[in-house]
Amino acid sequence: MNIKTIEWTGGIDGHVRLIDQTLLPGRCAVLSVRDVEAMWEAIKVLRVRGAPAIGIAAAFGLVLGMQQIDDAATITQAQQKLQQLSDYLAGSRPTAVNLFWALERMLKVAKKTDTENTAQLKQKLLDEAQAIRDEDAAMCRAIGKHGAGLIKEGSTVLTHCNAGGLATAEFGTALAVMFTAHEQGKKFRVFADETRPLLQGARLTTWELMQAGIDVTLICDNMAGHLMSRGEIDLVITGADRIAANGDAANKIGTYSVAVLAAAHGIPFYIAAPSSTFDLSIPDGQQIPIEQRDRQEVINFGAQPVAPENVQVYNPAFDVTPAKYLAGIITERGLIDHPSSDSIRQMLQ
Amino acid sequence: MNIKTIEWTGGIDGHVRLIDQTLLPGRCAVLSVRDVEAMWEAIKVLRVRGAPAIGIAAAFGLVLGMQQIDDAATITQAQQKLQQLSDYLAGSRPTAVNLFWALERMLKVAKKTDTENTAQLKQKLLDEAQAIRDEDAAMCRAIGKHGAGLIKEGSTVLTHCNAGGLATAEFGTALAVMFTAHEQGKKFRVFADETRPLLQGARLTTWELMQAGIDVTLICDNMAGHLMSRGEIDLVITGADRIAANGDAANKIGTYSVAVLAAAHGIPFYIAAPSSTFDLSIPDGQQIPIEQRDRQEVINFGAQPVAPENVQVYNPAFDVTPAKYLAGIITERGLIDHPSSDSIRQMLQ
């Protein structure tokens, strides 16, 4: 199971190829993204989604944008252009910390004084974006390795949304743990929350797990508590979009409910996320902004209206799960058991 | 706000008119149901739904079925026919206790020895079915009256699925409480869970509340916990499909999760249901059978597939909320505070 979610093809004048996730699972189509505007749109409408994949997309987006500036331009002009592009891309998905992390990392490269000319800068930016992608793939493998021990032979795992290969360069975060346990020959079952309103669980997670040959069963979000009450869930693993210094974790709407339900049934709840997901500048989850998304996502389904057209809608993209509900956070550096500000700082040092 | 969900029109050779709820909220169409087979289908595919409305539909279904037997038939022949019709209708929705309750009540009428001929029996059955409908309408009013005090000026109420006028003859159970509080001039807000997979909350509850001029906001089921964590929900009121002797209550899948989440946030959780919903022959919720519904409900949305075609699906129609999670059960006889076997028996005597 090694889906290339997003990759650069060709040299400095090349382009990005990414799986258009809005078409899955009906069709696995690879989209060629050839300019920064197309990348902005791809991030905005979730053709590419999942915290790490968004970071990679943004980094490649900068490289695409820099193709618009001539090699003869001065370094100062190139740096100004880069800043503009970064500001533009930052607006595509304002809650995704990996987006900002990747953009900042790219800007840092540009600020190094040893760059002689714009052509060289452009090459350095492409190299850095490639490095972000390659490091992400390696991180996912490491997360899988550190988490796989949590899944025992015969376990049943619940997951929410899609923290799979499609959310990263490849292999995933929460699903990396499952892919690795599967590679180790363990037999286990997975229940996947469909994850309203955009159904990433139904469309993407079931598809990825089935591709890998893992036993997966789809449920509606409101069925998880019932399964837990029947003793049918042994552990929960989800991804995260942003984790505060104290371990409070923002993830897809509904994650908080799953965590509270897991706690009420004595089921351990884990988050799997690369260390880039931590935002140590934010002391706790209260400070994480919650993006409100379009009401159309809730009142229509494809072309079909499912509610009165003029009904009021509340549609937060994320919720925040307080650290007290987390049995652990699985990172590429290891497992942070019962995370706290101290244990998180220690692991990230 | 007084929607006639289901009613008989004409005399003994008349027929049933019911709102086809599969077409709401796009279209409010009244369907004429002229034979028992059409009524079986209407119950099965949820054209008519909600525990009390199903009972009324079944009673009228028997009257429709009895139109097939000639007035010249013997009472014994008529009673045999009635038993066959009852068995047939009982298979349309095996979890709905009101279905059995209504069928049994109709059969009792037929067993009374003072009936002189088949024509008279048919008239008595129609009268009884009408009585079931009229009593239901009166019960809903009484539930509204007993529950309205729970909604304070400025409260925010969460509800799940549709326990509205559309689930009953008219006025509803959980929504009757809201309609009555609204008639009393109270200002309050309602959040309605969309209620996957069939979206009764999105399609029906929002529609009914908007018709009544009540401030309602639609959410996906997985958003309720997040709202609770922000202190935005003051109380929860849902309906029930079957309540065991100890107060354990079966209701639409997802109700249990809402109840556990409410408990975790110190929010009182109420069920509103007529006394016919109680099944005292069942000591507790463990004995309530959980109907599994068609996988197509989860993997398709209208004509649009939303998951891999061959994915495994778990699709229980109901879950059971243990009595310990209930702040109260609102019945037409009064409010059962913190229900127990004793307090329930007392109220139902």
Side-chain angles (χ1 to χ4, degrees), chain B residues 4 17 22 30 99 145 171 236 239 264 345:
Chain B
K4 301 277 186 205
R17 290 163 49 86
T22 61
V30 174
L99 178 69
K145 202 186 70 183
F171 213 58
V236 182
R345 212 177 313 115

Side-chain angles (χ1 to χ4, degrees), chain A residues 194 196 215 218 256 265 312, chain B residues 194 196 215 256 265 312:
Chain A
E194 64 175 2
R196 282 283 287 154
D215 181 347
L218 175 63
Y256 170 72
H265 295 89
Q312 300 176 84
Chain B
E194 64 176 3
R196 281 283 287 152
D215 181 346
Y256 171 71
H265 295 89
Q312 300 176 83

Side-chain angles (χ1 to χ4, degrees), chain B residues 60-75:
Chain B
F60 283 143
L62 286 182
V63 179
L64 289 172
M66 289 301 283
Q67 290 173 344
Q68 298 168 352
I69 196 165
D70 198 88
D71 284 355
T74 66
I75 280 283

